[in-house]
Amino acid sequence: MTVHTAPLLYDGLRWRAEGWVRVAGGRVADWGTGAPPPGAGPVERHGALIPGLVDACARITGYFNRMIEGDALAPHRACLAMCAEAGVTVVLGVGGHTEPYAALDHLARPGDPLLLWTGPVLDGPPVTTTATRLVHDGPSARRAVAAVAAEGARLVRTGAGLDPGPLAEVVAAARERGMPVLHQPGRTGAAEAVRAGVRLVQDLPRCLLPPAAGRPAAAAVRAFADPAVRSAAAERLRVLTGEGAAIVPLLHSWRRSALLEEAVAEPRLERLVPVAPFHRYLLDMRGPGLVFGRRYAREHFGFEHLKGAARREFDDGWAFLLDALATAHGGGAALVAGSDALGLSLVPGYGLYDELAWWERAGLDRRTVLAAATGGALDALAGHAPPRTPWASGLVALPGDPDTLPGPGALPAACRVLAGAGETVRDRVPGSADPENPEDPEDPAGSVPPAPPRSPQEARP
């Protein structure tokens, strides 16, 4: 049993000055603000204590173009191992067949992140993935939701091919079971989905474009260079923030699917080749190979050759998306951190920090970013009810000065996991500040306001 203290503690709801957390058997047993109780155990001092980091949108998969030999779950285990190495303690697998997730959960190893999943996507025709359950009316919606719930899904994920009527039926069925719905805009736009009761939407570019089946990543970003598209996107964003939607932006995923040069330059690209062997083609494009590989990348991966006016349009559209992210946060929308790994040139675990780095460049301050990847993500996965324990995703220590917390790029090396994800002994301990009462007299240290945000102009590279 060890007591960990720090001059800055984030309990998933509020930043607090001077706090302590007692860990026993790899789990949080007790916590509070101020000085720890006398005789509580050996004490370790850190720069800051925060809940475990959560990747709220990932795909634990692999072997897209290889015959399976030996352990069929080897690539999935490799994904989880990279997440753990990067300090991520909870992963939500979205889409995909349930069986691998259930098997990984049953065969979990010490140190693995807590693995949650949505099960197959609930969608309309045409079927774009084999892991799809078709929904076309109320009865089929109830059957599909019941099936994923019975298979252990934490959320329901709906796809881009679902029309508004069937989506509303899914939302109603999921609400009966207390399950949040994560929707990918398409035929039903983000604003329509939110009006139908969805509270969690993914892909910020899709959220801001007109309802459609989808378009290539570069074309979608370039569209925002058009003033008319920007104006309509701003109105959709106003609706989303006004309805209290939570957004999983996945901006880094979109950028990696649009810019071949950046996908090829991923510093950990070699580590993706054994897990998803198609990445070797990107690896072969490094150096002079990029010139000869553009045609292959266009035909097989969908990359456009962005140069001249097309590249300027992309950069203008990207700047608009960063501003939209900051506007969404400023308007009260909850931002939920997710990586979309293992997607194209997206490294499990580390991709989460690449995503958060873009949030900082958009002007969000560091404490806001960390909150979205810890307590904010947990709230989204829980659907805001029932109340969760503050340390359900575990406990992570950060070094250094609490006023200069490590940036996203430094987090994999800086963060130290002190306790794993899972249920804690108690929801609130005597002597701790009441998360429901910001003026709790038992919080002598008081809460700590977030650092002032930088402007997008200062933050953008």
Side-chain angles (χ1 to χ4, degrees):
M1 180 181 295
T2 303
V3 175
H4 300 274
T5 68
L8 181 66
L9 179 145
Y10 179 62
D11 65 4
L13 293 172
R14 298 169 61 204
W15 293 91
R16 304 176 183 277
E18 200 62 51
W20 56 272
V21 181
R22 187 166 64 211
V23 175
R27 293 288 184 268
V28 172
D30 214 355
W31 71 282
T33 55
V43 175
E44 287 189 23
R45 188 72 169 168
H46 308 277
L49 295 170
I50 64 174
L53 291 142
V54 180
D55 189 338
C57 190
R59 290 176 281 172
I60 305 302
T61 183
Y63 284 179
F64 298 164
N65 56 350
R66 175 184 293 177
M67 294 293 291
I68 295 175
E69 297 178 2
D71 184 5
L73 295 177
H76 307 71
R77 295 187 194 281
C79 288
L80 291 176
M82 283 188 273
C83 289
E85 175 188 301
V88 175
T89 59
V90 178
V91 177
L92 175 70
V94 298
H97 297 286
T98 299
E99 288 79 4
Y101 291 119
L104 289 166
D105 181 59
H106 181 71
L107 301 173
R109 300 170 178 176
D112 282 350
L114 176 63
L115 179 60
L116 312 173
W117 61 87
T118 66
V121 60
L122 308 190
D123 210 352
V127 175
T128 58
T129 170
T130 58
T132 298
R133 287 200 170 96
L134 287 174
V135 172
H136 52 84
D137 57 14
S140 62
R142 288 189 291 275
R143 287 194 300 269
V145 171
V148 295
E151 292 167 352
R154 177 60 61 95
L155 282 82
V156 175
R157 182 163 183 256
T158 49
L162 205 58
D163 289 317
L167 175 61
E169 297 285 358
V170 170
V171 171
R175 184 182 293 120
E176 292 174 0
R177 296 176 178 272
M179 299 175 70
V181 175
L182 170 62
H183 180 62
Q184 183 182 53
R187 290 181 186 170
T188 304
E192 289 178 280
V194 169
R195 292 190 184 104
V198 171
R199 286 295 175 266
L200 187 59
V201 291
Q202 71 172 73
D203 297 299
L204 183 61
R206 281 180 177 266
C207 290
L208 301 182
L209 288 171
R215 65 179 82 187
V221 176
R222 288 173 58 193
F224 293 107
D226 184 337
V229 174
R230 291 187 183 211
S231 177
E235 176 59 24
R236 291 188 182 92
L237 186 60
R238 186 193 65 77
V239 172
L240 290 178
T241 55
E243 295 285 347
I247 303 171
V248 188
L250 300 180
L251 285 182
H252 184 64
S253 172
W254 280 75
R255 190 174 178 91
R256 278 291 162 88
S257 296
L259 298 181
L260 179 60
E261 294 85 352
E262 294 188 8
V264 168
E266 162 57 50
R268 297 179 178 87
L269 188 59
E270 293 92 340
R271 300 190 64 182
L272 293 178
V273 174
V275 180
F278 69 85
H279 284 96
R280 73 175 182 270
Y281 299 112
L282 296 181
L283 198 59
D284 290 343
M285 292 179 199
R286 286 185 171 172
L290 184 59
V291 175
F292 301 102
R294 285 192 181 278
R295 179 175 178 181
Y296 181 92
R298 182 175 63 251
E299 292 177 354
H300 296 277
F301 295 125
F303 283 104
E304 297 181 42
H305 189 189
L306 297 174
K307 62 179 182 178
R311 181 55 195 253
R312 289 192 293 273
E313 285 183 354
F314 180 90
D315 291 340
D316 287 347
W318 186 256
F320 174 81
L321 287 172
L322 293 183
D323 287 339
L325 184 78
T327 299
H329 170 66
L335 300 180
V336 181
S339 70
D340 202 30
L342 173 70
L344 187 66
S345 200
L346 298 172
V347 183
Y350 296 93
L352 178 67
Y353 303 118
D354 293 330
E355 170 76 2
L356 297 179
W358 283 111
W359 294 18
E360 284 206 351
R361 291 171 187 173
L364 275 65
D365 68 274
R366 192 154 293 170
R367 292 184 186 179
T368 295
V369 168
L370 289 173
T374 54
L378 280 180
D379 281 339
L381 300 188
H384 303 281
R388 57 173 174 77
T389 59
W391 312 102
S393 64
L395 175 68
V396 167
L398 301 178
D401 186 344
D403 293 327
T404 56
L405 295 169
L411 282 174
C415 65
R416 177 186 167 197
V417 178
L418 303 177
E423 293 302 316
T424 53
V425 172
R426 61 186 75 188
D427 200 5
R428 178 175 176 263
V429 297
S432 301
D434 185 351
E436 301 296 327
N437 181 6
E439 297 182 0
D440 189 340
E442 293 183 338
D443 184 8
S447 61
V448 182
R454 296 171 291 164
S455 70
Q457 290 76 21
E458 293 172 331
R460 189 173 303 136

